[in-house]
């Protein structure tokens, strides 16, 4: 496969490297990723994270394994194992469904390489299309609040919600971005703050609990978030804390936008209750661990609830901004998400 570069993935001479999103922004550490077990570990520990990136990295790795001579049964096993790496983001399953079709072809190594590269290229244009549609919704002088990390690190392109913000900022419409730190794993504080800083977009980092007070003081003009899965009724699973923001936005009469590629849509899930939600280790809540060191602050045996995502009901969403266009609440109610989205 040809060499390729995204913000957080590289293919070099037949080998996949990923940028460790655990150690960012303190250290830019590129990890070689040679086996499905390596990548599954990177995905579960969030060195590789973000719905689109999970699916793309798995597809690239499978293509590289095929090119290195791995036989079809072992590739099928690796594909199945990668598909179970994290349960919520449906991009992984959607991308792997395409890789499975490539694997069924006679010249499967070439087919898988071509398909993985196509997925990366497509993701770049999906991000650009989302950003174009979304930026048109941003009013001049906006103070936008975002949650988690939905930027170039999480995709092959400019990102989803953060891509919208980048393009709107380039159009001179963004006064500032409020960045939720995003407890418990701080994707906002570590990754979004870093990406915005790199792009010289003005931002202010806040604890998640501060959003309510800011909204009450009329200091937020719109909320932009990404998605891990969009169900057939328009309900959206996204990083834990997204639902609270949607409730707050509705109470304060602030638009709440979800930006995502069509690869995040799952018409097979009737509603948010049927989206599988990943539960994570207690240690992520009882303390912190990262490139800065580790510390535990809760009692040793504290009982912990740690879902990685929550579900925002469709009724709280002002618009779904997709590569295919902007979906309104009326279109969602009429059932646009019940079928695959027209591209
Ligand atoms: O647990 P994470 O960091 O993978 O969660 C990521 C999110 O919730 C993002 O909002 C979503 O995947 C979209 S990334 C473009």
């Amino acid at each position: 496969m040809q060499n390729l570069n995204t913000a957080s993935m590289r293919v070099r001479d037949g080998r996949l490297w990923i940028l460790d999103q655990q150690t960012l922004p303190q250290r830019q550490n590129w990890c070689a990723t040679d086996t499905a077990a390596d990548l599954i570990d990177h995905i579960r520990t969030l060195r590789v994270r973000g719905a689109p990136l999970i699916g793309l990295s798995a597809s690239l790795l499978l293509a590289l394994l095929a090119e290195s001579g791995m036989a079809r049964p072992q590739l099928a096993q690796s594909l199945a194992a990668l598909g179970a790496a994290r349960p919520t983001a449906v991009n992984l399953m959607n991308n792997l469904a395409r890789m499975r079709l490539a694997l069924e072809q006679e010249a499967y190594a070439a087919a898988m390489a071509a398909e993985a590269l196509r997925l990366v290229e497509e993701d770049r244009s999906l991000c650009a299309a989302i950003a174009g549609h979304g930026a048109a919704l941003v009013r001049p002088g906006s103070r936008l609040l975002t949650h988690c990390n939905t930027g170039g690190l999480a995709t092959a392109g400019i990102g989803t919600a953060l891509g919208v913000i980048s393009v709107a900022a380039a159009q001179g419409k963004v006064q500032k971005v409020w960045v939720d730190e995003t407890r418990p794993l701080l994707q906002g504080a570590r990754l979004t703050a870093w990406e915005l800083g790199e792009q010289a977009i003005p931002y202010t980092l806040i604890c998640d609990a501060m959003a309510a007070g800011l909204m009450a003081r009329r200091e937020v003009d719109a909320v932009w978030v990404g998605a891990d899965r969009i169900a057939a009724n328009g309900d959206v699973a996204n990083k834990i804390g997204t639902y609270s923001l949607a409730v707050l936005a509705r109470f304060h009469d602030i638009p709440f936008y979800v930006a995502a590629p069509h690869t995040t849509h799952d018409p097979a899930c009737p509603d948010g209750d049927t989206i599988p939600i990943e539960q994570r280790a207690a240690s992520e809540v009882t303390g912190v661990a990262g490139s800065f060191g580790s510390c535990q602050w809760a009692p040793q045996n504290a009982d912990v609830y740690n879902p990685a995502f929550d579900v925002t009901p469709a009724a709280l969403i002002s618009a779904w901004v997709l590569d295919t266009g902007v979906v309104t609440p009326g279109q969602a109610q009429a059932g646009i998400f019940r079928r695959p989205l027209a591209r």
Side-chain angles (χ1 to χ4, degrees):
M1 182 187 300
Q2 71 202 51
N3 288 343
L4 77 84
N5 269 334
T6 75
S8 53
M9 286 187 306
R10 283 180 188 158
V11 173
R12 281 279 174 288
D13 304 326
R15 210 166 176 205
L16 177 66
W17 296 81
I18 61 99
L19 180 58
D20 184 348
Q21 296 195 40
Q22 253 190 22
T23 60
L24 281 176
Q26 277 81 11
R27 280 203 310 273
Q28 293 185 37
N29 189 18
W30 287 88
C31 308
T33 307
D34 295 325
T35 65
D38 287 347
L39 185 56
I40 290 167
D41 185 49
H42 293 331
I43 291 173
R44 292 199 172 136
T45 53
L46 305 197
R47 288 185 206 103
V48 170
R49 52 148 298 282
L53 189 76
I54 294 171
L56 297 173
S57 60
S59 305
L60 281 172
L61 179 70
L62 285 166
L64 292 169
L65 291 174
E67 281 192 333
S68 73
M70 186 180 270
R72 197 181 257 135
Q74 283 70 42
L75 284 168
Q77 267 173 14
S78 300
L79 190 148
L82 284 163
R86 280 186 92 187
T88 305
V90 76
N91 309 57
L92 174 64
M93 297 77 181
N94 285 340
N95 287 2
L96 291 182
R98 282 178 52 178
M99 293 304 288
R100 194 176 298 114
L101 290 179
L103 176 60
E104 284 164 12
Q105 297 192 21
E106 197 175 324
Y108 59 84
M112 290 173 85
E115 191 65 337
L117 289 173
R118 227 180 339 263
L119 285 166
V120 169
E121 276 315 311
E122 280 177 21
D123 190 68
R124 287 188 171 126
S125 35
L126 300 180
C127 288
I130 293 165
H133 297 309
L137 298 173
V138 176
R139 299 215 183 100
S142 283
R143 296 151 307 168
L144 306 174
L145 189 147
T146 192
H147 190 65
C148 197
N149 173 265
T150 59
L153 289 169
T155 66
I158 58 170
T160 58
L162 208 58
V164 170
I165 292 173
S166 301
V167 169
Q171 294 170 351
K173 295 199 286 192
V174 177
Q175 190 185 124
K176 77 179 309 181
V177 184
W178 296 108
V179 177
D180 257 9
E181 64 175 353
T182 314
R183 278 287 293 148
L185 288 171
L186 306 170
Q187 286 92 328
R190 296 185 300 101
L191 307 174
T192 301
W194 183 65
E195 286 197 82
L196 288 170
E198 292 287 295
Q199 294 174 51
I201 298 173
Y203 72 86
T204 302
L205 180 60
I206 56 169
C207 299
D208 296 358
M210 295 167 186
L214 284 175
M215 289 185 188
R217 289 167 40 168
R218 311 308 305 167
E219 295 202 48
V220 178
D221 298 305
V223 178
W224 282 89
V225 297
D228 285 79
R229 199 181 293 224
I230 302 174
N233 69 344
D235 290 354
V236 166
N238 191 51
K239 177 52 53 192
I240 191 76
T242 301
Y243 174 41
S244 340
L245 287 174
V247 173
L248 286 170
R250 174 57 53 90
F251 183 79
H252 293 99
D253 202 18
I254 294 166
F256 180 91
Y257 297 114
V258 172
H262 71 272
T263 44
T264 305
H265 171 223
D266 183 7
C269 261
D271 55 33
D273 288 345
T274 55
I275 299 176
I277 300 292
E278 176 187 8
Q279 297 290 328
R280 294 188 58 87
S283 56
E284 293 176 348
V285 178
T286 54
V288 283
S291 53
F292 41 81
S294 64
C295 133
Q296 169 156 342
W297 49 61
Q300 200 60 38
N301 294 316
D303 186 42
V304 169
Y305 172 58
N306 185 18
F309 305 97
D310 56 25
V311 172
T312 299
L316 295 179
I317 297 171
S318 308
W320 297 253
V321 180
L322 310 173
D323 50 286
T324 49
V326 176
V327 173
T328 63
Q331 289 172 307
Q333 268 165 15
I336 195 172
F337 289 121
R338 282 193 220 123
R339 292 169 294 283
L341 295 159
R343 296 174 56 193

